[in-house]
Amino acid sequence: MRSESLSNMSSICPFAKAASADGGCPMKHEENHSQQQAKCDDNVDRKSHGSASIDGGCPVKYEGDHNKHQAECDDKADTKTNDSAVVSPKCPFGYDSHTFKLGPLSCMICQALLYQSSKCLPCAHKFCKACISRFKDCPLCGADIEKIEADTDLQVTVDRFINGHARIKRVNADGQEVDGQKNVIYGDVSMERGAFLLQQAMRALRAQNMESAKSRLSLCAADIREQLQTSDNTSELCSQLGAVLGMLGDCCRAMGDTGSAVTCYEESVEFLSKLPAEDLELIHTLSVSLNKIGDLRYYDGDLKSAKAYYKQSLDVRRNAVKEHPNVSSQVVDLAVSLAKVADVDRSLGSEDVAVDGFQEAIECLESLKLDSNEAGLEQRRCSVLDFLHGQLADKHTPVSDSSV
């Protein structure tokens, strides 16, 4: 009950609207590009006559015939693109998305770019430090791990890839250089820098590598702050920054750094509060950030402060239901906020007020009619409803931590 699940913050891509020409989420662009990558790789393999594979070699040293093949791939890509005003960017290391793969720089366990690269001995396979530290045997070959030591050279290469590839400059049809912060090609995927860093952070989060996720999200937030100083599209950037800061707060919270978590959530609220309350995803992200601050205040024993944040979230959700009365998820969110405020009222000794809050939440959920294709939301509705009935049945039962 106290904390809402991390997926509430992390399931929404804050770059979904701005990252691609068609307005779609940039994380969905990998499949078609991977097919073209495979064709190019096959051509390279046939021409290499046994030379070292790109996957296994250093990404900053491979040259020679590859450059000719790269140019051919670039020309083909340019003829197929629908955006005639932009030509393919050039990697400062001599690689583009048609010829360079992220595999050698990625951790097999979390599937993200290596963070604090470490190798296990004696087999010398390499992973993120946080990932491999959970194993006694190498997950790749099964060998006993006798020792884990840092691979600083490989980490330098990974950092050079992030700092180099992610800051490519684009050139438009008039020959003018365009800021490379958006629509830049990275490795096997084509997405702007923020979406790329977010993708890597999400992979690390799924593998519980919080340090890696925090590092990537911090870079992403820093980039957006930099763009805010020069861009006119402040609304979109504030929306992105608010979502990223919310996820950064989740990382800090999972790592036990509640002070930094609160700071991130408060910054998220600050940026999201500047925006017009029209986007339902924005409303949800804002209200969740407010609830998470309330949760942390509640655990610290500051009930009045917790109630203040829960009440702010409740107000945001009440307004959302008024503006969008037919959106079922908003009604469920409203019931959750009513329950949170009522729970604090009970802890503060205001039993009658708490009962009224629980009953209002029950009325909201019992009057909600869901379609057959909303099974997930129906399950959540029933879960919250069961909890609320339990609170009224046993007034002395303390509220447990759950995802509602």
Side-chain angles (χ1 to χ4, degrees):
M1 168 48 203
R2 286 269 61 82
S3 69
E4 303 191 40
S5 67
L6 298 186
S7 62
N8 285 340
M9 289 294 292
S10 61
S11 61
I12 300 172
C13 174
F15 302 90
K17 297 179 181 178
S20 59
D22 60 2
C25 176
M27 296 185 186
K28 297 180 181 178
H29 286 240
E30 298 186 26
E31 182 176 355
N32 292 336
H33 179 74
S34 296
Q35 294 175 356
Q36 183 179 5
Q37 169 73 41
K39 293 178 181 178
C40 290
D41 288 345
D42 290 341
N43 291 336
V44 173
D45 291 339
R46 285 195 292 269
K47 294 178 181 181
S48 63
H49 300 294
S51 60
S53 167
I54 293 178
D55 282 335
C58 174
V60 299
K61 294 181 179 179
Y62 186 83
E63 296 178 358
D65 291 340
H66 160 68
N67 290 331
K68 180 179 179 181
H69 176 69
Q70 173 185 330
E72 293 173 355
C73 288
D74 288 345
D75 290 340
K76 292 179 181 178
D78 290 339
T79 59
K80 294 180 181 179
T81 183
N82 293 325
D83 187 2
S84 58
V86 180
V87 298
S88 296
K90 301 300 180 183
C91 166
F93 297 154
Y95 296 85
D96 65 8
S97 65
H98 305 297
T99 54
F100 179 71
K101 291 186 176 181
L102 294 179
L105 307 184
S106 299
C107 172
M108 188 200 74
I109 299 173
C110 67
Q111 305 299 314
L113 287 175
L114 287 161
Y115 180 75
Q116 294 182 340
S117 303
S118 301
K119 60 183 177 181
C120 48
L121 300 176
C123 65
H125 287 127
K126 301 171 184 179
F127 309 91
C128 296
K129 179 181 179 180
C131 293
I132 193 58
S133 296
R134 306 168 193 160
F135 292 83
K136 295 182 178 179
D137 301 327
C138 175
L140 189 59
C141 68
D144 292 340
I145 299 177
E146 299 178 2
K147 182 181 180 182
I148 298 175
E149 61 181 32
D151 190 333
T152 55
D153 291 340
L154 180 56
Q155 190 59 51
V156 167
T157 301
V158 174
D159 294 340
R160 288 183 66 191
F161 173 78
I162 294 175
N163 294 326
H165 269 277
R167 300 185 185 280
I168 302 170
K169 299 294 183 179
R170 299 186 71 92
V171 179
N172 62 22
D174 298 328
Q176 296 179 340
E177 196 173 69
V178 181
D179 190 348
Q181 292 289 339
K182 301 187 73 174
N183 298 326
V184 176
I185 295 178
Y186 308 87
D188 293 335
V189 293
S190 179
M191 58 180 69
E192 57 103 6
R193 174 176 167 89
F196 173 74
L197 291 169
L198 181 65
Q199 179 202 59
Q200 299 301 307
M202 292 299 294
R203 291 179 179 179
L205 277 172
R206 286 194 294 267
Q208 298 297 308
N209 189 345
M210 296 300 169
E211 292 183 355
S212 176
K214 181 181 177 182
S215 173
R216 307 314 179 204
L217 290 170
S218 297
L219 283 173
C220 186
D223 280 358
I224 300 175
R225 292 181 193 277
E226 183 179 338
Q227 292 178 61
L228 274 171
Q229 298 177 359
T230 58
S231 175
D232 295 329
N233 188 16
T234 56
S235 295
E236 186 66 30
L237 291 173
C238 283
S239 176
Q240 294 175 0
L241 184 56
V244 170
L245 286 169
M247 286 184 283
L248 192 55
D250 291 341
C251 289
C252 294
R253 183 177 180 178
M255 296 170 66
D257 188 357
T258 56
S260 296
V262 169
T263 298
C264 290
Y265 292 141
E266 288 178 339
E267 282 191 279
S268 174
V269 169
E270 177 185 352
F271 283 102
L272 294 175
S273 297
K274 297 177 181 178
L275 305 175
E278 299 173 355
D279 190 325
L280 291 179
E281 292 181 357
L282 185 153
I283 293 171
H284 179 76
T285 304
L286 172 60
S287 62
V288 168
S289 288
L290 286 166
N291 276 343
K292 288 181 176 179
I293 300 173
D295 290 344
L296 293 174
R297 298 300 190 199
Y298 186 97
Y299 290 133
D300 286 340
D302 190 350
L303 298 182
K304 292 184 178 180
S305 178
K307 181 179 178 179
Y309 282 105
Y310 288 152
K311 188 66 169 57
Q312 289 183 59
S313 178
L314 176 60
D315 292 340
V316 170
R317 291 177 172 181
R318 281 193 190 278
N319 292 332
V321 171
K322 289 180 181 178
E323 295 293 329
H324 308 277
N326 297 323
V327 180
S328 302
S329 61
Q330 297 297 316
V331 178
V332 177
D333 283 347
L334 174 60
V336 170
S337 282
L338 285 167
K340 283 180 175 287
V341 174
D343 178 54
V344 178
D345 283 332
R346 170 173 286 175
S347 298
L348 290 171
S350 303
E351 183 64 26
D352 292 340
V353 177
V355 170
D356 290 341
F358 287 132
Q359 289 178 336
E360 183 182 355
I362 289 174
E363 291 172 3
C364 287
L365 294 178
E366 289 183 339
S367 63
L368 182 61
K369 305 300 180 183
L370 299 175
D371 296 332
S372 57
N373 61 351
E374 297 179 292
L377 189 59
E378 172 63 15
Q379 184 178 6
R380 185 177 180 227
R381 185 189 77 90
C382 292
S383 175
V384 177
L385 200 53
D386 289 343
F387 166 80
L388 292 168
H389 282 302
Q391 290 301 301
L392 291 181
D394 186 357
K395 297 181 180 181
H396 300 291
T397 301
V399 178
S400 62
D401 186 18
S402 73
S403 61
V404 299

